[in-house]
Each structure stands twice: as C-alpha cells, then as structure tokens.
Amino acid sequence: MKVLIRRGFNALDSLFSKAFTPAWNPMYQLGAMSFFYFWIVAATGVYLFIFFETSISGAHASMEYISVEQWYLAGIMRSFHRYASAAMGICVTLHLLREYARDRYSGVRWFSWVSGIPLLWLLFASAIGGYWLVWDVQAQYIAITTAQWFDWLPIMVDPMASNFLNEATLSDRFFSLLVFLHIGIPLSLLLGMFIHIKRISGARTNPAKGLAAGTLLAMLAVSLWQPALSQAPANLDVAVTEIGLDWIFLNPYPLISSWGPGQTWALLVGLSCFLTILPWLPSRREQQTPVAVVDPENCNGCGWCLADCPYEAVTMKEHDYKKGHQQSVVDPNLCISCGICAGACPSSSPFRHVDELTTGISIPGFHIKELLSLTENKLSELGTDEPRIMVYGCDHGSVVDSMASNSVASISMPCTALVPPAFIDYVLRKELAEGVMISGCCEGDCHYRLGNEWMDQRFSKERMPILRTRVPRDKVRIRWLGEQGTKQLGLEVKEFQAHLLENVQADVQLDLVKIAEASNG
Amino acid sequence: MDKAVHYLAQALMYALFFVPLVYISHLPTHHHMDDDVAVLKVAIRHPGKIIGECTSVIAGEGHGMRPAAMQRVTEICPRERSPLQLELIIDGETLYHATIPATGLHSDGISSMYQQFTVPTGPHHLQLRMNDDVAVDGYTWQLDQDIELQPAQVMVANFKEGFRLQ
C-alpha cells in the first residue's frame, strides 16, 4: 500500500510542479500550507467573533446577519473561515499520508510523527465546535450525536444528551461553554503545532509567497461563488431527518449513528493508537545507519555542520584539548545519518596534503575517504571513448545505479549533500571525469529536508563550503528530479555527454587550428 | 512554459482542489432518519429511596466514631440509594428495561439515564414504569397514556415528582 501511495504522490508531484514550478509546488509544503490555513482561520475567526452572539437564541440570527447583510466582508470572512479549515483538514491528511509513504516517520522523526496524532483530534474538535456554534440543523445533529457518543464513555455522571432534550430544556450555559471550547481547542492546536516542529531546524511554516497569494485569490473566488451559509435554524422539538453534512470533518457522525458509539470509539482510538506505534513497528524500510562521528583532531570548530544539520543534532562545545577552540558534538538521539554535515565540513577536501583523507565529522560506513576511493575506483574503470561522467545520487531520489555504463560511473548515498564541493573540483581538476552530475530528491522535497537547498547554495557560492570559481560550470550539472525522474535523468546524462563531446571536439578543433597556425607561422 | 499558460494551469489546479472541497463540505446530504418516524426521548434524573432506616446511637456503641462526634449524633442513617428499575412499553412491546444504579462512590447520588427511540408516526399506547425503592415490590411510579406522534416529532418523557410527557 505504501508503494501505491508513493506512486500516487509521485504523479501528483510531477503534475503540480509543472503547473506551479517546484518552488511553489504545494505538495512539497503541505505542513506550511496547514500553518497558513490555520492563520486564515484564526484571523477570520477573530473578526467573526465581533458579530457573533453567544446565545442559543441569537447565534443563528447573528450568523445570518454575517452572511446576508454583511456578505461583502463578514460573509466572505465566514467563507474563508469555513473553507480554510476544510483545506487545512485536507492538507494535514495529505501531509500524514505523504510522510508515511516516504518513510519519514520513524527513527529520529518519531517525535514529529507521534506529536502529530493528537493534533488530528484537536483539529477535528476545533472544526466540529465551529459547526456547533452556528446552531442550525447540522449543529443540532452533531450536538445530539456528539452527546450520545460521549455518553457511552463511563466517565459521564449525567448524560450529556439531556442538555438537548427539547427547546424548553435548552440552556445558554452549555452554549457559552462551547464558545469557550471553540477558542481554547484551536489555541491548544496551535501550541501542539509548535511542539510538532520543535525538533526540526528551520521548519518551514510559511508557504512560498506566490502560492500563498494564489491560494488567497482562489479562496476569494470560491467565497464569492459558493459563500458558506447556515442551514435551517435548529429546533430541538423537531427531529433532524436530512441534512447537508461536511464530509471532511463530520465523517465519523454517520458511523456513530449506524455503528453505535462504542464501535466508533474503538475504530478512532484504535486507529490513533496504531498510528502512534507505527514508527516502532517492524517494516521493510532501511535500518538507520550509525550516527555521525566527530573527529576532534580534524574539527576546527567552524560550525558549518551545525548550520547545515536539518535536525539540530549538532551543537558546539569547548574543544577536547585545543584551548580557545570549539568542536562539534553530535546528539545520537537527534542524528538521522544523512551525512549533510560531512559535506559541509571544510576538512572533507581531497586536496589536503595528508597520507589518508580524514575529516572533522563523518558517517560511519560512508566516510569521506571511502567516498573518495569509491569515486576514484569507479572512474578508473571507465573507458575513454566517450566523455566520462560521474553521477552522484541519493538513495531517496532518482535511481542512479541503473545509469552506470562504460562511460558513466554512479554512486548513491543517503543524501547528495554529503558530497563536499571540493570533490567535484577534485574529479574535474584531476581529469578523472569530463563531467559531474549531481542528482537527488525533487526540488523542495529533500528526504532530509534541506539537502538539495544547501547543495544549490554551495554551488551558487551562497553557503560554505562553496564550489570554487575555477570549476567550469558547464562541466557540472545539478538535477533534482526525484524517484519519478529517474528516466528523465538517464536522458539528461546522455544529453550531458553529448554536450561535453561537442565541447571536446570544439577544443580539439581549436587545438588543431592553433597547431596549424603555429606551423604556418 | 509560457507565463500565461503557467497561471492558467495553476488556476485549473486551484479549481481542482477547491471545487470538490466546497462540494464535500455540504453535499451529498446525509439521510439521518426516515420522514415517517418520530423520536421519543426518555431522560430520567431522580434519586432512589435510601436503602435501610436510621438507627439510634446507643451509649457504648461507637460505630467507629470519634467520642466528640458521638456526643452530637443521636442516630446513624445509611447513605446508599435504591437503583431505579425503569421500563418503557409501547403498544405492549417492551422497548427498554434497565436498572439504573445510583451514582457516587457510596451509591448515594442520583440515578440518571437518557435513551432515545425512533417510533413510527401515528397513535400509540405508551407505558412508563419505575421503581425507586428496593423495599417495595412492583413499580412505585407509572404512566399510561395514549399518544399521537407526528412525523419528525420529538417527544420527551422525563420525571419530576411523576412522569411527564413534553
């Protein structure tokens, strides 16, 4: 099932990237979009509260005023409030499915995964509370059904459903409690959202500006086209027979009616428990490799690994024996073994005059000296009939192993940002290959969050360690195409080879001309 | 891709996202109950009678009380209340029969229950019976009444010094 979901997301990713470009692709920022929708709901909620009357008799009438008499502002706000919460529900669901399908929920990531489960309950409770406040027939239905659902629990002394017997027994007091809950639960949700991203450095909580602007425009269009309206006012003296239902947030309600409260509790609590223990269940996913190791002898305390670690696993402390210096420290509970830190380390340079290449920080099993010898060995086996290409790929992006040929060498690693820019310089300067191709996850969707972003910045000299100016840029290509772009990457490698061949032929032509000129002269 | 085509494609994607979202936020309608039935809600909140009688405190029998308390208390009364025996019969068919225990750690609180039933519309004979005293055999409270239920009508049966229909 996971593979099927992943394929589905791969297809969606490609589709959205074509329309939005990878930088604006909403599929790569579902968490940020959820935050964005939350803020829309919060801001519009504050405005709506000004006009909302917190009483049984006044609630529906005040909502009618909002939607009918002040349709041009409060009415639009109400539609934004409703549709943004629904969109948040969908984004959160997609976010959960996506992280599951891409195996981003176990190991160090367990904290974000597990802390996200109560957020689902809080999100649903916030939305249901909102529908309740409108006090129309849908609210009547969910009020009575919710009460019966909770009454099943042995914790209720007085049945909650007794509050909704008929119009005569209805009290404003219970309604005031609901208003309080509709403010309190979303605030708890917000707190939970911040806890959810606590262990992630530089968590993306704002979507791309263009995407945000487009979303607001789309919501405005939708609000004018189909404004959110109330249904008929609630009347507890008349039973609800047929109602319009929000199937995004109120989907458990028909289940409560048909299955009964006990089975619905069992399903929802069981599902939540299953999701909570999912990170520790045996699966066929790859086991996490050992965490990064610091070599104090080669760590100069520059802090580049600290700046690049996507999970705040690196901190600095006073150097073990060099006075006045600092050295990196890795928290094994936070390290995800991506190797981005090794790629950031200035000591990871194959140009260093040392007997054996060492570095300040590295991943056991994928040490920088092993990467170097692997690179040299693979490239030494290539023929020289065609331009030689070194392809570095990541285990979660385009599958590069299949591209190896007589003229193409490929190495796959946890994250391509593990490759220090000095390696590319080294390969080209030592003429081990005519070109270097860097590939990995889709742009904006790095398995380790920031790998391709850091790599881009290192190449464009915005981030240390930089790819030196002397490296001819036409001999280096970066393509973030992801797993679904494997075929495309294969074609681009061939095209790259053809381009390099043209350059070589042009160079040879130039050399011949120079020789001819020299001999004539 | 041309910029205009890009924006057009984005508009299409926004539409593909929001149109179904708007649709499922209120449609399709949910059929909760048939039109030809009514709802009968039975909600009882009533304390059962105390089980047992008060006994006089006789000098020398401390009943585990401190001496100071013994000087003030002349009799000891039990706290436990009778559970309610409740029965609902419509047209001779028993729809509900249950024992509702008193709440509280010492079963000294009120007994409360809520149940709702869907009943076909039309005329019915309703019988509600309750026993709130274990010392009494049979029922201590009864209601026998003919009712006429309208489609989607909500009828409430509760208890306040006797059964009431609303």
Side-chain angles (χ1 to χ4, degrees), chain A residues 413-451:
Chain A
M413 61 200 80
C415 178
T416 330
L418 190 154
V419 180
F423 262 60
I424 294 144
D425 189 8
Y426 181 82
V427 165
L428 295 174
R429 198 161 180 79
K430 297 283 179 187
E431 296 184 346
L432 302 177
E434 279 68 49
V436 177
M437 175 78 97
I438 303 285
S439 73
C441 303
C442 285
E443 188 179 344
D445 189 38
C446 172
H447 186 75
Y448 295 114
R449 298 188 55 244
L450 303 166

Side-chain angles (χ1 to χ4, degrees), chain A residues 121 124-132 137-150 160 178 243-261 264-265 267-268, chain B residues 30-32:
Chain A
W121 282 83
F124 270 73
S126 303
I128 291 166
Y131 276 120
W132 203 324
V137 285
Q138 181 178 242
Q140 178 181 342
Y141 167 69
I142 57 177
I144 293 169
T145 313
T146 306
Q148 289 170 345
W149 194 46
F150 273 85
M160 199 169 138
L178 286 179
I243 41 162
L245 202 65
D246 175 1
W247 294 93
I248 297 168
F249 287 116
L250 305 180
N251 56 68
Y253 282 81
L255 272 187
I256 299 170
S257 304
S258 55
W259 283 17
T264 312
W265 274 118
L267 175 77
L268 297 180
Chain B
H30 171 55
H31 183 78
H32 176 54

Side-chain angles (χ1 to χ4, degrees), chain A residues 41-79:
Chain A
V41 176
T44 50
V46 169
Y47 185 79
L48 292 176
F49 194 65
I50 297 168
F51 302 98
F52 182 67
E53 197 168 322
T54 53
S55 71
I56 291 289
S57 55
H60 190 271
S62 65
M63 291 311 291
E64 286 299 288
Y65 168 80
I66 283 168
S67 291
V68 179
E69 290 187 45
Q70 214 199 105
W71 65 269
Y72 49 88
L73 189 56
I76 286 173
M77 292 278 191
R78 182 184 179 189
S79 300

Side-chain angles (χ1 to χ4, degrees), chain A residues 373-445:
Chain A
S373 70
L374 202 59
T375 302
E376 288 175 332
N377 290 343
K378 290 212 170 193
L379 287 172
S380 68
E381 289 167 6
L382 299 184
T384 50
D385 301 343
E386 291 177 279
R388 293 160 301 170
I389 308 270
M390 181 69 238
V391 181
Y392 289 114
C394 86
D395 298 340
H396 311 279
S398 309
V399 184
V400 296
D401 291 341
S402 59
M403 280 156 214
S405 69
N406 192 39
S407 56
V408 178
S410 65
I411 300 175
S412 186
M413 61 200 80
C415 178
T416 330
L418 190 154
V419 180
F423 262 60
I424 294 144
D425 189 8
Y426 181 82
V427 165
L428 295 174
R429 198 161 180 79
K430 297 283 179 187
E431 296 184 346
L432 302 177
E434 279 68 49
V436 177
M437 175 78 97
I438 303 285
S439 73
C441 303
C442 285
E443 188 179 344
D445 189 38

